[in-house]
Coordinates of all heavy atoms in Angstrom, one line a residue:
M1 N 0.8 -1.2 0.0 CA 0.0 0.0 0.0 C 0.9 1.2 0.0 O 1.7 1.4 0.9 CB -0.9 0.0 1.2 CG -2.2 -0.7 1.0 SD -3.3 0.1 -0.1 CE -4.2 1.2 1.0
A2 N 0.6 2.1 -1.0 CA 1.4 3.4 -1.0 C 0.8 4.3 0.1 O -0.3 4.3 0.4 CB 1.2 4.0 -2.3
M3 N 1.7 5.1 0.6 CA 1.3 6.1 1.6 C 1.5 7.5 1.1 O 2.5 7.7 0.4 CB 2.2 5.9 2.9 CG 1.9 7.0 3.9 SD 3.0 6.7 5.4 CE 2.0 5.7 6.4
Q4 N 0.5 8.3 1.3 CA 0.6 9.7 0.9 C 0.6 10.6 2.1 O -0.3 10.5 2.9 CB -0.7 10.0 0.0 CG -0.7 11.4 -0.6 CD 0.3 11.6 -1.7 OE1 0.5 10.8 -2.5 NE2 0.9 12.8 -1.7
V5 N 1.6 11.4 2.3 CA 1.8 12.2 3.5 C 1.7 13.7 3.1 O 2.3 14.1 2.1 CB 3.2 12.0 4.1 CG1 3.3 12.8 5.4 CG2 3.4 10.5 4.4
S6 N 0.9 14.4 3.8 CA 0.9 15.9 3.6 C 0.8 16.5 5.0 O 0.6 15.9 6.0 CB -0.3 16.3 2.8 OG -1.5 15.9 3.4
A7 N 1.1 17.8 5.0 CA 1.1 18.5 6.3 C 0.5 19.9 6.1 O 0.7 20.5 5.0 CB 2.5 18.6 6.9
T8 N -0.2 20.4 7.1 CA -0.8 21.7 7.0 C 0.1 22.7 7.7 O 0.1 22.8 9.0 CB -2.2 21.7 7.6 OG1 -3.0 20.7 7.0 CG2 -2.9 23.1 7.4
K9 N 0.8 23.5 6.9 CA 1.7 24.5 7.5 C 1.0 25.5 8.4 O 1.5 26.0 9.4 CB 2.4 25.3 6.4 CG 3.6 24.5 5.8 CD 4.2 25.3 4.6 CE 5.5 24.8 4.2 NZ 6.6 25.0 5.1
E10 N -0.3 25.9 8.0 CA -1.0 26.9 8.7 C -1.3 26.6 10.2 O -1.4 27.5 11.0 CB -2.4 27.2 8.0 CG -2.2 27.9 6.7 CD -1.7 27.0 5.5 OE1 -1.7 25.8 5.7 OE2 -1.2 27.6 4.6
T11 N -1.4 25.3 10.5 CA -1.7 24.9 11.9 C -0.5 24.4 12.6 O -0.5 24.1 13.8 CB -2.8 23.9 11.9 OG1 -2.5 22.8 11.1 CG2 -4.1 24.5 11.4
C12 N 0.6 24.2 11.9 CA 1.8 23.7 12.5 C 2.3 24.6 13.6 O 2.4 25.8 13.4 CB 2.9 23.5 11.5 SG 4.6 23.1 12.2
A13 N 2.6 24.0 14.8 CA 3.0 24.8 15.9 C 4.5 24.8 16.2 O 5.0 25.1 17.2 CB 2.3 24.3 17.2
V14 N 5.3 24.3 15.1 CA 6.7 24.3 15.2 C 7.3 23.6 16.4 O 8.2 24.0 17.1 CB 7.2 25.8 15.1 CG1 8.7 25.8 14.8 CG2 6.5 26.6 14.1
S15 N 6.7 22.4 16.6 CA 7.1 21.7 17.8 C 8.3 20.7 17.5 O 9.0 20.2 18.3 CB 6.0 20.8 18.4 OG 5.7 19.8 17.5
S16 N 8.5 20.5 16.2 CA 9.6 19.6 15.7 C 9.4 18.1 16.0 O 10.3 17.3 15.7 CB 11.0 20.0 16.2 OG 11.2 21.4 16.0
M17 N 8.3 17.8 16.6 CA 8.1 16.4 17.0 C 8.2 15.5 15.8 O 8.8 14.4 15.9 CB 6.7 16.2 17.7 CG 6.7 16.7 19.1 SD 7.8 15.9 20.2 CE 7.1 14.2 20.2
C18 N 7.6 15.9 14.7 CA 7.5 15.0 13.5 C 8.9 14.8 12.9 O 9.3 13.7 12.5 CB 6.6 15.6 12.5 SG 6.9 17.3 12.0
V19 N 9.7 15.9 13.0 CA 11.1 15.8 12.4 C 11.9 14.9 13.3 O 12.7 14.1 12.8 CB 11.7 17.2 12.4 CG1 13.1 17.2 11.8 CG2 10.9 18.2 11.6
Y20 N 11.7 14.9 14.6 CA 12.4 14.0 15.5 C 12.0 12.6 15.2 O 12.9 11.7 15.2 CB 12.1 14.4 16.9 CG 12.7 13.6 18.0 CD1 14.0 13.7 18.3 CD2 11.9 12.6 18.7 CE1 14.6 12.9 19.3 CE2 12.4 11.9 19.7 CZ 13.8 12.0 20.0 OH 14.3 11.2 20.9
R21 N 10.7 12.3 15.0 CA 10.3 10.9 14.8 C 10.6 10.4 13.5 O 10.8 9.2 13.3 CB 8.8 10.9 15.1 CG 8.4 11.0 16.6 CD 7.1 10.4 16.9 NE 6.9 10.3 18.3 CZ 6.0 10.9 19.1 NH1 5.1 11.6 18.5 NH2 5.9 10.7 20.3
A22 N 10.5 11.2 12.4 CA 10.7 10.7 11.1 C 11.5 11.7 10.2 O 11.0 12.4 9.4 CB 9.4 10.4 10.4
P23 N 12.8 11.8 10.5 CA 13.6 12.8 9.9 C 13.8 12.6 8.4 O 14.1 13.6 7.7 CB 15.0 12.8 10.6 CG 15.0 11.4 11.3 CD 13.6 11.1 11.5
A24 N 13.5 11.4 7.9 CA 13.6 11.2 6.4 C 12.4 11.7 5.7 O 12.4 11.8 4.5 CB 13.8 9.7 6.2
V25 N 11.3 12.0 6.4 CA 10.1 12.4 5.8 C 9.7 13.8 6.1 O 9.2 14.5 5.2 CB 8.9 11.5 6.3 CG1 7.6 11.9 5.7 CG2 9.2 10.0 6.0
F26 N 10.1 14.3 7.3 CA 9.7 15.7 7.7 C 10.9 16.5 7.9 O 11.9 16.1 8.4 CB 8.9 15.7 8.9 CG 7.6 14.9 8.8 CD1 7.5 13.6 9.4 CD2 6.5 15.4 8.1 CE1 6.3 12.9 9.3 CE2 5.4 14.6 8.0 CZ 5.3 13.4 8.6
D27 N 10.8 17.8 7.5 CA 11.9 18.8 7.8 C 11.1 20.1 8.1 O 9.9 20.1 8.1 CB 12.7 19.0 6.5 CG 14.1 19.6 6.9 OD1 14.3 19.9 8.0 OD2 14.9 19.7 5.9
Q28 N 11.9 21.1 8.4 CA 11.3 22.4 8.8 C 11.9 23.4 7.9 O 13.1 23.4 7.5 CB 11.6 22.7 10.2 CG 10.9 21.8 11.2 CD 11.5 22.0 12.6 OE1 12.5 21.6 13.0 NE2 10.7 22.8 13.4
D29 N 11.0 24.4 7.4 CA 11.5 25.4 6.6 C 12.2 26.5 7.4 O 12.3 26.4 8.6 CB 10.4 25.9 5.7 CG 9.3 26.7 6.4 OD1 9.6 27.0 7.6 OD2 8.3 27.0 5.8
E30 N 12.5 27.6 6.8 CA 13.3 28.7 7.5 C 12.5 29.3 8.7 O 13.1 29.8 9.6 CB 13.8 29.7 6.6 CG 12.7 30.5 5.8 CD 12.3 29.7 4.5 OE1 12.7 28.5 4.3 OE2 11.7 30.3 3.7
D31 N 11.2 29.1 8.6 CA 10.3 29.6 9.7 C 10.1 28.6 10.8 O 9.6 28.9 11.8 CB 8.9 30.0 9.2 CG 9.0 31.1 8.2 OD1 9.8 32.0 8.3 OD2 8.2 31.1 7.2
G32 N 10.6 27.4 10.5 CA 10.4 26.3 11.5 C 9.1 25.5 11.3 O 8.9 24.5 11.9
T33 N 8.3 25.9 10.3 CA 7.1 25.1 10.0 C 7.4 23.8 9.2 O 8.4 23.8 8.5 CB 6.0 25.9 9.3 OG1 6.6 26.5 8.1 CG2 5.5 27.0 10.2
V34 N 6.6 22.9 9.4 CA 6.8 21.6 8.8 C 6.9 21.6 7.3 O 6.2 22.4 6.6 CB 5.7 20.6 9.3 CG1 4.3 21.0 8.8 CG2 6.0 19.1 8.9
E35 N 7.7 20.7 6.8 CA 7.9 20.6 5.3 C 8.0 19.1 5.1 O 8.8 18.4 5.7 CB 9.1 21.2 4.9 CG 9.1 21.7 3.4 CD 10.0 22.9 3.2 OE1 11.2 22.9 3.7 OE2 9.6 23.8 2.5
V36 N 7.1 18.5 4.2 CA 7.2 17.1 3.9 C 8.2 16.9 2.8 O 8.1 17.5 1.7 CB 5.8 16.6 3.4 CG1 5.9 15.1 3.0 CG2 4.8 16.8 4.5
I37 N 9.3 16.3 3.1 CA 10.4 16.1 2.1 C 10.2 14.8 1.3 O 10.8 14.6 0.2 CB 11.8 16.2 2.7 CG1 12.0 15.3 3.9 CG2 12.1 17.6 3.1 CD1 13.4 15.3 4.5
D38 N 9.4 13.8 1.9 CA 9.1 12.6 1.1 C 7.7 12.3 1.3 O 7.3 11.6 2.2 CB 10.0 11.5 1.7 CG 9.8 10.2 0.9 OD1 9.0 10.2 -0.1 OD2 10.5 9.2 1.2
P39 N 6.8 12.7 0.4 CA 5.4 12.5 0.5 C 5.0 11.1 0.2 O 3.8 10.7 0.6 CB 4.8 13.5 -0.5 CG 5.9 13.7 -1.5 CD 7.2 13.6 -0.8
N40 N 5.8 10.3 -0.3 CA 5.5 8.8 -0.6 C 6.6 8.0 0.1 O 7.4 7.3 -0.6 CB 5.5 8.6 -2.1 CG 4.5 9.5 -2.8 OD1 4.9 10.4 -3.6 ND2 3.2 9.4 -2.5
P41 N 6.7 7.9 1.4 CA 7.7 7.2 2.1 C 7.6 5.7 1.9 O 6.5 5.2 1.7 CB 7.6 7.6 3.5 CG 6.1 8.0 3.7 CD 5.8 8.6 2.3
P42 N 8.7 5.0 1.9 CA 8.8 3.5 1.7 C 8.1 2.8 3.0 O 8.0 3.4 4.0 CB 10.2 3.2 1.6 CG 11.0 4.3 2.2 CD 10.1 5.5 2.0
A43 N 7.8 1.6 2.8 CA 7.0 0.8 3.8 C 7.7 0.9 5.2 O 7.1 1.0 6.2 CB 6.8 -0.6 3.3
E44 N 9.1 0.8 5.2 CA 9.8 0.7 6.4 C 9.6 2.0 7.3 O 9.9 2.0 8.4 CB 11.2 0.3 6.2 CG 12.1 1.3 5.4 CD 12.1 0.9 3.9 OE1 11.2 0.3 3.4 OE2 13.1 1.3 3.3
L45 N 9.2 3.1 6.6 CA 9.0 4.3 7.4 C 7.6 4.6 7.8 O 7.3 5.5 8.5 CB 9.5 5.5 6.5 CG 11.0 5.6 6.2 CD1 11.3 6.8 5.3 CD2 11.8 5.6 7.5
H46 N 6.6 3.7 7.3 CA 5.2 4.0 7.6 C 4.9 4.1 9.1 O 4.1 5.0 9.5 CB 4.4 2.9 6.9 CG 4.3 3.1 5.4 ND1 3.5 2.3 4.6 CD2 5.0 3.9 4.6 CE1 3.7 2.7 3.4 NE2 4.6 3.6 3.3
E47 N 5.5 3.2 9.9 CA 5.1 3.2 11.3 C 5.6 4.5 11.9 O 4.9 5.1 12.7 CB 5.7 2.0 12.0 CG 5.2 1.8 13.4 CD 3.7 2.1 13.6 OE1 2.9 1.5 12.8 OE2 3.3 2.8 14.5
A48 N 6.8 5.0 11.6 CA 7.4 6.2 12.1 C 6.5 7.4 11.7 O 6.3 8.3 12.5 CB 8.8 6.4 11.6
V49 N 6.0 7.4 10.4 CA 5.2 8.5 10.0 C 3.8 8.5 10.7 O 3.4 9.5 11.1 CB 4.9 8.3 8.4 CG1 3.9 9.3 8.0 CG2 6.2 8.6 7.7
R50 N 3.3 7.3 10.9 CA 2.0 7.2 11.7 C 2.2 7.7 13.1 O 1.4 8.4 13.6 CB 1.4 5.8 11.6 CG 0.9 5.4 10.3 CD 0.2 4.0 10.4 NE 0.2 3.4 9.1 CZ -0.7 3.7 8.1 NH1 -1.5 4.7 8.3 NH2 -0.6 3.1 6.9
S51 N 3.3 7.3 13.7 CA 3.6 7.8 15.0 C 3.8 9.3 15.1 O 3.3 9.9 16.0 CB 4.9 7.1 15.5 OG 5.5 7.7 16.5
A52 N 4.4 9.8 14.1 CA 4.6 11.3 14.0 C 3.2 12.0 13.8 O 3.0 13.0 14.5 CB 5.5 11.7 12.8
A53 N 2.4 11.4 13.0 CA 1.0 12.0 12.8 C 0.2 11.9 14.1 O -0.4 12.9 14.5 CB 0.3 11.2 11.7
R54 N 0.3 10.8 14.8 CA -0.4 10.7 16.1 C 0.1 11.7 17.1 O -0.6 12.2 18.0 CB -0.3 9.3 16.7 CG -1.2 8.3 16.1 CD -1.3 7.0 16.9 NE 0.1 6.4 17.0 CZ 0.6 5.4 16.2 NH1 -0.1 5.0 15.2 NH2 1.8 4.9 16.4
G55 N 1.5 11.9 17.1 CA 2.1 12.7 18.1 C 2.1 14.2 17.8 O 2.5 15.0 18.7
C56 N 1.6 14.6 16.6 CA 1.6 16.0 16.3 C 0.5 16.7 17.2 O -0.6 16.4 17.2 CB 1.2 16.2 14.8 SG 1.0 18.0 14.4
P57 N 1.0 17.7 18.0 CA 0.1 18.3 19.0 C -1.1 19.1 18.3 O -2.1 19.3 18.9 CB 1.0 19.2 19.8 CG 2.2 19.4 18.9 CD 2.4 18.2 18.1
T58 N -0.9 19.5 17.0 CA -1.9 20.3 16.4 C -2.6 19.5 15.2 O -3.3 20.0 14.4 CB -1.3 21.5 15.8 OG1 -0.3 21.2 14.8 CG2 -0.7 22.4 16.8
R59 N -2.3 18.2 15.2 CA -2.9 17.3 14.1 C -2.7 17.9 12.7 O -3.6 17.9 11.9 CB -4.4 17.1 14.4 CG -4.7 16.5 15.8 CD -5.7 15.3 15.7 NE -5.8 14.6 16.9 CZ -5.1 13.6 17.3 NH1 -4.1 13.1 16.5 NH2 -5.3 13.0 18.5
S60 N -1.5 18.3 12.5 CA -1.2 19.0 11.2 C -0.7 18.0 10.1 O -0.5 18.4 9.0 CB -0.2 20.1 11.4 OG -0.7 21.1 12.3
I61 N -0.5 16.7 10.5 CA 0.0 15.8 9.6 C -1.1 14.8 9.1 O -1.9 14.3 9.9 CB 1.2 14.9 10.3 CG1 2.3 15.9 10.6 CG2 1.6 13.8 9.3 CD1 3.3 15.2 11.5
H62 N -1.2 14.6 7.8 CA -2.2 13.8 7.2 C -1.6 12.7 6.5 O -0.7 12.8 5.7 CB -3.1 14.7 6.3 CG -3.4 16.0 6.9 ND1 -4.3 16.2 8.0 CD2 -2.9 17.3 6.7 CE1 -4.3 17.4 8.4 NE2 -3.5 18.1 7.6
V63 N -2.2 11.5 6.8 CA -1.7 10.3 6.2 C -2.8 9.5 5.5 O -3.9 9.3 6.1 CB -1.1 9.3 7.2 CG1 -0.6 8.0 6.6 CG2 0.1 10.0 8.0
E64 N -2.6 9.2 4.2 CA -3.7 8.4 3.5 C -3.1 7.1 3.0 O -1.9 7.1 2.6 CB -4.1 9.2 2.3 CG -5.0 10.4 2.6 CD -5.2 11.3 1.4 OE1 -5.6 10.8 0.4 OE2 -4.9 12.5 1.5
Ligands
LIG101 S1 4.7 17.7 15.0 FE1 3.0 18.9 14.1 S2 3.2 20.9 15.1 FE2 5.1 19.8 15.4 S3 6.5 20.5 13.7 FE3 5.4 18.6 13.1 S4 3.6 19.3 12.0 FE4 4.3 21.0 13.2

């Protein structure tokens, strides 16, 4: 199953939790807001991405 990851910059609270949990998928731009660097992560990263999505304090990460 392919995974599609997106993030809503408008609601991101710059907590860096997602970057900490899945650094291969999430990064932060110059303002510190989330940036998805790999919107279609490989299977071995899916659990880390789901964990990052669950752990986002503002629910700004979306996984399909
Ligand atoms: S965990 Fe959520 S609030 Fe924190 S940087 Fe990532 S997207 Fe933004």
